C-alpha cells in the first residue's frame, strides 16, 4: 500500500469543496497543481499539457515513458471528474489489467480521495460499489458498458496499461467501453502505444469531444543501452562494481530466474551491515513453504526472485526489501513489464527471445520498451541503464577469438560455436533495432460471446439495433466483422430455440423487444460462467451419501479454471505409476505406450457431470461458453490429508506455489459462496473451514484482503493490512480440528494399506520408525484381516479428543472388522508449535492394542 500524501487533496467526507468548482477549468488545474506541489511534486510539461486538456473536457491519450508521472495525471482527471459529476450519480472508473494492480490502485486512491469516495470491483471482491470513484478490471467495466450502453452513468474512464487493447484474449474488454460509452470522457495511458492516429480520430467521432495526444519520447530519467559480451556472472559483477544496483535480471522462464539467483550466491553482493538490515526487516516473517527456505537464503544474501509462480507474500516481501534499497540483484520474469512496483536502476536482459506459448521468437518493440522502461527511478537516479546480454555461443566465440587474436594461423583454424538447435539468436544489431523502434500499432481483437448478447438483451431498447451497432461499428476489418455477425446470429438463434430468449409481440414501454425467460444473477458475466450449473448439479446430489461433501467439492472444482501446472504434474505422476504397474505385470513396451493414452489425472464424477451438463445446455445454451473440467485437487488434498507443503512436494510444484495457492483460494471462494444452504452439511462446512484456514496459513494476504473487502461490517476507512504472519492456526478450532482429524485418518489409511515406510516418514521424529510400525502392523493383521476406512472409521465415535490449553491428547481408534475397537493410536498435538508452523504438530505417543 502506498504512503498517504502529506496533504489531502480534499475532505473525504465533504465533496462540496470540489463540486463548488464545477466546470471552472482554470481553478481545477490551479488547485490540483498546488496540491501536487505541496506534496513535493512539480508537474512536468507533459503532465501540465495532459491535465489542461482533461480539465477542459477533452479526451487524452497519454503516451509518455515509464516514470513520467502518468498516475498523477490520472489523479488529476479523477479530481476534475468529481467536480463535474455533482450529485447525479455519475461515476469515474479506473481500470487496470490485473487484479493485483487494481488492488494497489484502490489503496492509492483511498489515500488521496478518502476510502469513503473510492470503491473496487474485480469480479471476486466488491467494496463500496456506490462510491464516485471505482477501481476495477477492464472486464468489469466492459460488462457494465454492455449492460447499460450509452445511458451508463459514467463520467470518466481511465484505462491504465492501455496497450492490453492489443491482447488477443482480453483486448475486447479494452475496446468495448470505447464503443459503448459515448458520453464518457476517456484517459488512455501507456508507455508503449505506437501509432494511435486511428484511435484518436475514432474516439473523437464517438464522444464528440476533442482527443488530445500527449506523447513524449523524452524520459525524466534517460536510459543508456549497452550490449554485454562478457559471461553473465561477469556482467553482473561489473554492474555491481560500478554502482548500477539495484539490478533486475530479466528471464523468460521461472526456472531460469531461480537458477540465476542461486548461481549468484557465490557473489558477495551485500555488506555485513546490509545483511543485518535485511534480517531486521524480515523479522518474524514466516517462510512456510518448500520454496520459502530457498528464498530466505537468497534474500538474506541481498538477492531477490520475482515471478508469478511465487506466493503473493513472497513477491511482496521482495518488493518491500527492494523498496528499502536492500536487494542488489533481483532475478525475475518479465512480470515487471505490467507495472510492478519494484524500484530498479538497471534492467539486464538475459535474452531477447522468448517462448510465447506457441513458438520461440524475438521480442517485439512493445515488449522490449515495456520492460526496459522500468530502469531508472525518478527522484533517485539521474539515468537508468539497460544491458542486453549476448548469447552464450557469441560470448564463447569472442572469448576463443581473443586467445588467438595475435596468431593468424590459429585464427584460421578456429572453430566457432554454432547457434544451438531450436534457439532464436539475437545480436547487438537486434538490440539497436529494438531501441530505435517505436511500438507496433495496436491491433483490434474484438470478439462475441453468449454472455455479451445476454448483457445487451438485458438493457432497455432494441437489442437488435444495439448488437448491429456493436458488430458493425467496432475496430475490426469488414471481413472480421462479418464473421462476428455470423457468430452472433448463431448464438441468438440457439437462445431463441432453447426458449431462453422470447420475442415479444409488442415492444415494452422502454423499447425492449425481447425478454429473458430465466433469472440470471446480477454478476453473471463477472464470475465463473458455470456457477449456475454448479447450483443445479449440487441440487441433484444425495445429501445422505457418505461421499456427499466431497462430491460437492468435485462439482465446484469442475467449474473452476484449469490450473495447467497442477494438472500436468498429476498427469505425469499418474502415468509414472501406471508404467511402473504395467512393468510389474510384464506388459511389453509398445502395449504400455498404447495403454498410456487412456491414463489421465483424477476426474471424479466425470460421467455424471458430463451427462448433467448436456441436459443443462438444452435450456441454458449460454453455458456452452464455459468449460466443464472435472478435476481433483481440493478433494485429493482432503482425502489424503495433505498439507500445502506436502502437496507441492509430492507433485514437484515448488516453482508453481503461487499457482497452487491461487487455485485453492478460488476454490475456497466458490465453495463458500456457491454452495446452497440445503447442501451445506456439517462435513461440507468442515471442508470449507479447513480449506480457508489452509490457504490463510500458507499466505493470508489473498483471503484476508478478500474477506475484509467483502465483509459488510468492514468500516470504509479501515486499512486492509497484509500481515507477514497469519492469525494463530488454533484460533479457528473447527478448521484446526478438521486438520488434526485428517492427519490421524491419513495414518489409519496408510496402516490399512500396510505402508510402513510412509508411516515412518510421518512419525520418525516421535521415535516411530517404519520398522516399529511394521511390528505393530504384523501383530494387528495376525488378529484381523483388514482395517475399515469408510465413513464409520472416519466418524467422531472413533476419535476421542481431550482438549487442554497447551496440548490436545487424542485417541484414534481403528475400525476392526470384529467391532472390538481395541486397537488404535494415541497422539499429542502441541498447540503453540502448531501456531508457529501453521500446521498441526503431532507427536505419536503409542500405537497398537489399547490399554
Amino acid at each position: 500500500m502506498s504512503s498517504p500524501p502529506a496533504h489531502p487533496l480534499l475532505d473525504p467526507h465533504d465533496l462540496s469543496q470540489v463540486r463548488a468548482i464545477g466546470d471552472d477549468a482554470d481553478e481545477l488545474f490551479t488547485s490540483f497543481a498546488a496540491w501536487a506541489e505541496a506534496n513535493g511534486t512539480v508537474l512536468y510539461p507533459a503532465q501540465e499539457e495532459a491535465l489542461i486538456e482533461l480539465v477542459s473536457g477533452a479526451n487524452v491519450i497519454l503516451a509518455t515513458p515509464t516514470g513520467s508521472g502518468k498516475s498523477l495525471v490520472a489523479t488529476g482527471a479523477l479530481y476534475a471528474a468529481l467536480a463535474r459529476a455533482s450529485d447525479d450519480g455519475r461515476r469515474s472508473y479506473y481500470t487496470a489489467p490485473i487484479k493485483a494492480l487494481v488492488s494497489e490502485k484502490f489503496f492509492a486512491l483511498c489515500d488521496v480521495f478518502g476510502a469513503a469516495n473510492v470503491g473496487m470491483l474485480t469480479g471476486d471482491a466488491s467494496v463500496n460499489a456506490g462510491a464516485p470513484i471505482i477501481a476495477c478490471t477492464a472486464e468489469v467495466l466492459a460488462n457494465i458498458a454492455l449492460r447499460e450502453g450509452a445511458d451508463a452513468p459514467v463520467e470518466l474512464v481511465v484505462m491504465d496499461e492501455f496497450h492490453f487493447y492489443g491482447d488477443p484474449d482480453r483486448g475486447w474488454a479494452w475496446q468495448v467501453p470505447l464503443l459503448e460509452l459515448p458520453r464518457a470522457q476517456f484517459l488512455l495511458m501507456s508507455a508503449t502505444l505506437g501509432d494511435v492516429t486511428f484511435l484518436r480520430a475514432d474516439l473523437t467521432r464517438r464522444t464528440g469531444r476533442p482527443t488530445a495526444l500527449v506523447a513524449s519520447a523524452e524520459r525524466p530519467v534517460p536510459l543508456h543501452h549497452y550490449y554485454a559480451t562478457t559471461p553473465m556472472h561477469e556482467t553482473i559483477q561489473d554492474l555491481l562494481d560500478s554502482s548500477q544496483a539495484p539490478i533486475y535480471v530479466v528471464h523468460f522462464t521461472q526456472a531460469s530466474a531461480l537458477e540465476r539467483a542461486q548461481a549468484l550466491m557465490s557473489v558477495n553482493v551485500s555488506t555485513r551491515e546490509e545483511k543485518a538490515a535485511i534480517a531486521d526487516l524480515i523479522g518474524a516473517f514466516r517462510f512456510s513453504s518448500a520454496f520459502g527456505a530457498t528464498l530466505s537464503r537468497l534474500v538474506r544474501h541481498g538477492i531477490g526472485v520475482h515471478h508469478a509462480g511465487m506466493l503473493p507474500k513472497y513477491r511482496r516481501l521482495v518488493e518491500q526489501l527492494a523498496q528499502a534499497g536492500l536487494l542488489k540483484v533481483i532475478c525475475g520474469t518479465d512480470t515487471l513489464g505490467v507495472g510492478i512496483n519494484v524500484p530498479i536502476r538497471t534492467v539486464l536482459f538475459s535474452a531477447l527471445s522468448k517462448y510465447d506459448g506457441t513458438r520461440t521468437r524475438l521480442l517485439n518493440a512493445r515488449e522490449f520498451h515495456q520492460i526496459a522502461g522500468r530502469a531508472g527511478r525518478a527522484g533517485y537516479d539521474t539515468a537508468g541503464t539497460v544491458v542486453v546480454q549476448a548469447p552464450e555461443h557469441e560470448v564463447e566465440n569472442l572469448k576463443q577469438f581473443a586467445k588467438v587474436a595475435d596468431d593468424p594461423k590459429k585464427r584460421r583454424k578456429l572453430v566457432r560455436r554454432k547457434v544451438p538447435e531450436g534457439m532464436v539468436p539475437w545480436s547487438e544489431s537486434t538490440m539497436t533495432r529494438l531501441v530505435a523502434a517505436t511500438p507496433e500499432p495496436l491491433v483490434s481483437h474484438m470478439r462475441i460471446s453468449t454472455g455479451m448478447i445476454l448483457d445487451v438483451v438485458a438493457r432497455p431498447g432494441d437489442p437488435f439495433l444495439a448488437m448491429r451497432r456493436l458488430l458493425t461499428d467496432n475496430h475490426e476489418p469488414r471481413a472480421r466483422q462479418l464473421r462476428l455477425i455470423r457468430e452472433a446470429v448463431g448464438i441468438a438463434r440457439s437462445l431463441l430455440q432453447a426458449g431462453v430468449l422470447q420475442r415479444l409481440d409488442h415492444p415494452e414501454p422502454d423499447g425492449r423487444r425481447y425478454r429473458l425467460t430465466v433469472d440470471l444473477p446480477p454478476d453473471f458475466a463477472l464470475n465463473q460462467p458455470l456457477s449456475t450449473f454448479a447450483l443445479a448439479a449440487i441440487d441433484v446430489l444425495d445429501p445422505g451419501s457418505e461421499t456427499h461433501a466431497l462430491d460437492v467439492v468435485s462439482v465446484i472444482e469442475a467449474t473452476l479454471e484449469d490450473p495447467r501446472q497442477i494438472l500436468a504434474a498429476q498427469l505425469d505422476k499418474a502415468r509414472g505409476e501406471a508404467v511402473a504397474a504395467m512393468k510389474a505385470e510384464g506388459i511389453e513396451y509398445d502395449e504400455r505406450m498404447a495403454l498410456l493414452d487412456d491414463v489421465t489425472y483424477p476426474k471424479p464424477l466425470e460421467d455424471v457431470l458430463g451427462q448433467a451438463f448436456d441436459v443443462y445446455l438444452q435450456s441454458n445454451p449460454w453455458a456452452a461458453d464455459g468449460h466443464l473440467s472435472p478435476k481433483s485437487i481440493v478433494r485429493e488434498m482432503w482425502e489424503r490429508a495433505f498439507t500445502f507443503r506436502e502437496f507441492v512436494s509430492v507433485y514437484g510444484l515448488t516453482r508453481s506455489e503461487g499457482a497452487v495457492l491461487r487455485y485453492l483460494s478460488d476454490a475456497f471462494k466458490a465453495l463458500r459462496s456457491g454452495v446452497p444452504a440445503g447442501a451445506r452439511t456439517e462435513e461440507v462446512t468442515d471442508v470449507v473451514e479447513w480449506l480457508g484456514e489452509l490457504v490463510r496459513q500458507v499466505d493470508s494476504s489473498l483471503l484476508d484482503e478478500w474477506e475484509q473487502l467483502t465483509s459488510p461490517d468492514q468500516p470504509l476507512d479501515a486499512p486492509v493490512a497484509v500481515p507477514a504472519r497469519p492469525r494463530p492456526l488454533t484460533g479457528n478450532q473447527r478448521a484446526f480440528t478438521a486438520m488434526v482429524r485428517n492427519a490421524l485418518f491419513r495414518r489409519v489409511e496408510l496402516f490399512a494399506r500396510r505402508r510402513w515406510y510412509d508411516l515412518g516418514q510421518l512419525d520418525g521424529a516421535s521415535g516411530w520408525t517404519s520398522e516399529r510400525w511394521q511390528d505393530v502392523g504384523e501383530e494387528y493383521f495376525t488378529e484381523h484381516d483388514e482395517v475399515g476406512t469408510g465413513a464409520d472409521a472416519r466418524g467422531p465415535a472413533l476419535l476421542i479428543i481431550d482438549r487442554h490449553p497447551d496440548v490436545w491428547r487424542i485417541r484414534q481408534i481403528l475400525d476392526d472388522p470384529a467391532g472390538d475397537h481395541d486397537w488404535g493410536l494415541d497422539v499429542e498435538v502441541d498447540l503453540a508449535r502448531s501456531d508457529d508452523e501453521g500446521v498441526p504438530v503431532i507427536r505419536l505417543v503409542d500405537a497398537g492394542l489399547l490399554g
Side-chain angles (χ1 to χ4, degrees):
M1 190 166 14
S2 61
S3 299
H7 304 281
L9 180 54
L10 46 81
D11 182 347
H13 301 290
D14 182 10
L15 296 182
S16 60
Q17 53 181 314
V18 63
R19 286 176 172 163
I21 300 175
D23 290 328
D24 190 328
D26 290 339
E27 188 174 349
L28 281 169
F29 177 82
T30 301
S31 61
F32 183 79
W35 171 81
E37 188 170 355
N39 283 285
T41 301
V42 178
L43 299 177
Y44 295 130
Q47 290 175 312
E48 288 187 342
E49 180 185 354
L51 284 167
I52 289 171
E53 295 286 356
L54 287 163
V55 299
S56 301
N59 301 313
V60 170
I61 299 175
L62 186 58
T64 55
T66 302
S68 59
K70 290 188 284 294
S71 293
L72 187 63
V73 174
T75 303
L78 293 167
Y79 175 67
L82 277 178
R84 290 195 302 267
S86 186
D87 293 317
D88 62 359
R90 294 174 64 80
R91 299 188 180 92
S92 298
Y93 289 83
Y94 190 113
T95 74
I98 59 177
K99 294 174 185 177
L101 288 182
V102 171
S103 177
E104 180 181 305
K105 183 53 59 177
F106 166 73
F107 294 130
L109 292 174
C110 285
D111 289 339
V112 174
F113 294 102
N117 295 318
V118 184
M120 182 172 78
L121 298 171
T122 65
D124 287 337
S126 172
V127 58
N128 201 20
I133 298 172
I134 299 293
C136 64
T137 55
E139 284 80 0
V140 167
L141 179 61
N143 284 308
I144 292 172
L146 288 167
R147 284 197 193 101
E148 302 185 40
D151 294 329
V154 179
E155 177 70 30
L156 169 72
V157 174
V158 179
M159 305 194 87
D160 204 354
E161 307 290 344
F162 186 73
H163 56 272
F164 269 80
Y165 170 99
D167 185 273
D169 296 321
R170 303 179 60 203
W172 69 273
W174 272 259
Q175 184 172 162
V176 163
L178 307 182
L179 307 178
E180 293 293 302
L181 300 175
R183 295 170 56 196
Q185 180 186 25
F186 286 88
L187 168 59
L188 312 180
M189 307 189 301
S190 173
T192 56
L193 286 180
D195 184 1
V196 292
T197 303
F198 161 77
L199 191 63
R200 185 179 178 186
D202 185 74
L203 201 53
T204 295
R205 174 178 69 87
R206 293 177 187 278
T207 64
R209 302 171 185 263
T211 301
L213 172 62
V214 180
S216 170
E218 183 178 349
R219 286 172 47 98
V221 180
L223 294 182
H224 301 302
H225 299 81
Y226 302 94
Y227 189 72
T229 55
T230 50
M232 176 69 93
H233 67 278
E234 292 183 18
T235 302
I236 294 173
Q237 188 64 63
D238 290 344
L239 291 170
L240 290 170
D241 292 342
S242 57
S243 301
Q244 296 302 308
I247 306 163
Y248 200 110
V249 188
V250 182
H251 301 77
F252 294 100
T253 68
Q254 297 172 4
S256 59
L258 179 58
E259 288 168 7
R260 177 65 55 194
Q262 291 174 316
L264 289 171
M265 286 293 287
S266 60
V267 180
N268 195 20
V269 302
S270 299
T271 65
R272 180 179 300 175
E273 292 76 17
E274 288 168 335
K275 290 178 181 178
I278 290 171
D280 287 342
L281 193 151
I282 290 174
F285 186 93
R286 181 195 285 172
F287 294 92
S288 56
S289 65
F291 177 72
T294 299
L295 183 65
S296 178
R297 289 193 299 272
L298 289 169
V299 295
R300 293 178 194 278
H301 199 72
I303 301 167
V305 180
H306 197 288
H307 59 70
M310 295 167 58
L311 297 180
K313 68 176 182 180
Y314 292 158
R315 293 201 304 271
R316 184 170 181 270
L317 175 67
V318 169
E319 291 163 14
Q320 287 175 327
L321 289 168
Q323 289 159 2
L326 296 174
L327 296 182
K328 298 297 183 65
V329 182
I330 305 169
C331 300
T333 57
D334 53 345
T335 51
L336 86 166
V338 194
I340 195 137
N341 186 22
V342 177
I344 48 181
R345 179 171 294 172
T346 300
V347 168
L348 171 56
F349 285 87
S350 64
L352 288 181
S353 64
K354 64 181 284 188
Y355 180 71
D356 63 6
T358 304
R359 61 188 177 92
T360 301
R361 59 169 176 79
L362 292 174
L363 300 183
N364 60 41
R366 173 170 289 108
E367 291 167 331
F368 177 79
H369 288 295
Q370 197 69 30
I371 299 169
R374 299 299 164 186
R377 301 165 295 176
Y380 294 89
D381 300 323
T382 56
T385 302
V386 178
V387 180
V388 174
Q389 178 67 31
E392 287 186 18
H393 71 275
E394 181 182 343
V395 172
E396 184 62 26
N397 287 337
L398 290 172
K399 183 179 178 181
Q400 295 302 321
F401 182 82
K403 291 180 180 179
V404 299
D406 298 330
D407 190 329
K409 290 185 178 180
K410 291 184 178 179
R411 287 205 307 269
R412 285 195 296 272
K413 294 180 180 179
L414 184 65
V415 179
R416 294 180 176 273
R417 289 182 58 180
K418 296 181 180 179
V419 177
E421 186 177 354
M423 176 186 179
V424 176
W426 64 93
S427 63
E428 186 170 7
S429 63
T430 309
M431 181 193 77
T432 302
R433 176 181 62 80
L434 287 172
V435 170
T438 57
E440 297 79 7
L442 294 171
V443 176
S444 170
H445 290 284
M446 189 61 178
R447 74 172 195 190
I448 195 69
S449 68
T450 309
M452 293 173 69
I453 290 177
L454 291 174
D455 277 337
V456 172
V457 169
R459 77 164 78 152
D462 187 342
F464 176 80
L465 296 178
M467 283 302 303
R468 184 171 66 181
R469 184 176 61 252
L470 182 66
L471 293 170
T472 60
D473 191 23
N474 53 50
H475 300 164
E476 294 289 333
R478 183 57 180 166
R480 173 69 177 148
Q481 288 180 348
L482 292 174
R483 190 188 314 170
L484 291 174
I485 291 169
R486 287 193 295 270
E487 291 176 9
V489 169
I491 294 171
R493 283 176 177 167
S494 71
L495 292 171
L496 286 166
Q497 289 170 0
V500 176
L501 284 183
Q502 182 180 14
R503 183 181 177 91
L504 302 175
D505 294 332
H506 303 285
E508 293 186 350
D510 63 3
R512 297 176 200 257
R513 298 178 62 185
Y514 295 84
R515 69 179 181 89
L516 289 173
T517 60
V518 295
D519 291 327
L520 296 178
D523 57 353
F524 170 75
L526 306 183
N527 293 329
Q528 297 296 334
L530 299 183
S531 57
T532 51
F533 167 72
L535 291 173
I538 289 172
D539 191 49
V540 301
L541 296 177
D542 178 10
S545 168
E546 65 179 47
T547 63
H548 174 261
L550 294 181
D551 290 344
V552 168
V553 170
S554 292
V555 170
I556 294 295
E557 287 202 83
T559 67
L560 298 178
E561 185 176 346
D562 285 348
R564 290 181 296 104
Q565 302 98 318
I566 304 175
L567 298 183
Q570 287 184 323
L571 179 60
D572 287 345
K573 190 171 182 62
R575 288 184 170 174
E577 292 172 350
V579 167
M582 286 187 281
K583 283 182 177 179
E585 294 175 15
I587 299 175
E588 295 298 325
Y589 175 81
D590 290 340
E591 187 179 355
R592 291 203 304 267
M593 293 302 99
L595 290 172
L596 273 183
D597 291 338
D598 297 326
V599 176
T600 184
Y601 51 83
K603 298 181 178 180
L605 306 183
E606 181 178 20
D607 292 339
V608 172
L609 288 174
Q611 293 170 7
F613 191 50
D614 289 340
V615 173
Y616 185 77
L617 286 178
Q618 294 175 13
S619 56
N620 301 275
W622 71 80
D625 290 341
H627 175 56
L628 186 70
S629 177
K631 47 192 166 288
S632 181
I633 297 168
V634 174
R635 182 169 185 153
E636 181 183 11
M637 291 185 73
W638 175 269
E639 288 182 317
R640 300 183 64 180
F642 276 146
T643 64
F644 181 87
R645 188 165 188 159
E646 287 169 339
F647 183 82
V648 166
S649 176
V650 165
Y651 287 109
L653 292 164
T654 301
R655 289 199 298 266
S656 301
E657 289 178 339
V660 178
L661 185 71
R662 280 193 295 275
Y663 177 83
L664 296 178
S665 178
D666 288 343
F668 167 73
K669 296 170 188 174
L671 281 165
R672 179 166 151 172
S673 60
V675 178
R680 193 174 289 276
T681 62
E682 287 297 308
E683 189 172 2
V684 169
T685 302
D686 283 346
V687 172
V688 175
E689 288 292 321
W690 158 82
L691 181 58
E693 198 60 40
L694 181 145
V695 170
R696 183 175 285 105
Q697 291 300 318
V698 174
D699 187 338
S700 62
S701 58
L702 286 175
L703 288 189
D704 283 352
E705 181 177 325
W706 179 73
E707 290 191 337
Q708 288 185 57
L709 289 176
T710 55
S711 170
D713 300 324
Q714 176 73 3
L716 290 179
D717 292 317
V720 179
V722 183
R725 296 178 68 82
R727 68 189 186 191
L729 175 64
T730 57
N732 185 340
Q733 189 173 108
R734 183 164 194 159
F736 184 63
T737 301
M739 291 180 180
V740 171
R741 187 176 69 234
N742 279 359
L744 293 178
F745 195 70
R746 183 181 179 192
R747 288 164 170 81
V748 172
E749 288 188 306
L750 291 173
F751 189 90
R753 296 161 64 191
R754 310 187 192 205
R755 299 281 290 271
W756 316 126
Y757 173 81
D758 293 333
L759 285 166
Q761 291 293 104
L762 283 175
D763 296 310
S766 302
W768 280 79
T769 62
S770 56
E771 293 80 10
R772 191 173 177 185
W773 268 112
Q774 185 172 357
D775 289 342
V776 172
E778 290 176 350
E779 187 178 352
Y780 174 88
F781 285 109
T782 299
E783 183 176 338
H784 301 288
D785 293 333
E786 61 181 3
V787 177
T789 56
D792 290 340
R794 210 172 172 133
L798 300 184
L799 185 72
I800 302 171
I801 302 178
D802 185 13
R803 293 181 173 88
H804 296 273
D806 301 321
V807 64
W808 286 4
R809 294 184 176 88
I810 303 175
R811 171 166 289 181
Q812 173 68 63
I813 301 170
L814 299 182
D815 186 22
D816 62 90
D820 296 331
H821 295 164
D822 54 354
W823 287 76
L825 48 148
D826 292 321
V827 304
E828 290 183 347
V829 184
D830 188 321
L831 304 189
R833 287 187 59 199
S834 297
D835 285 337
D836 287 341
E837 298 185 22
V839 294
V841 176
I842 294 172
R843 183 177 74 86
L844 182 61
V845 177
D846 197 11
L849 195 61
L850 299 174

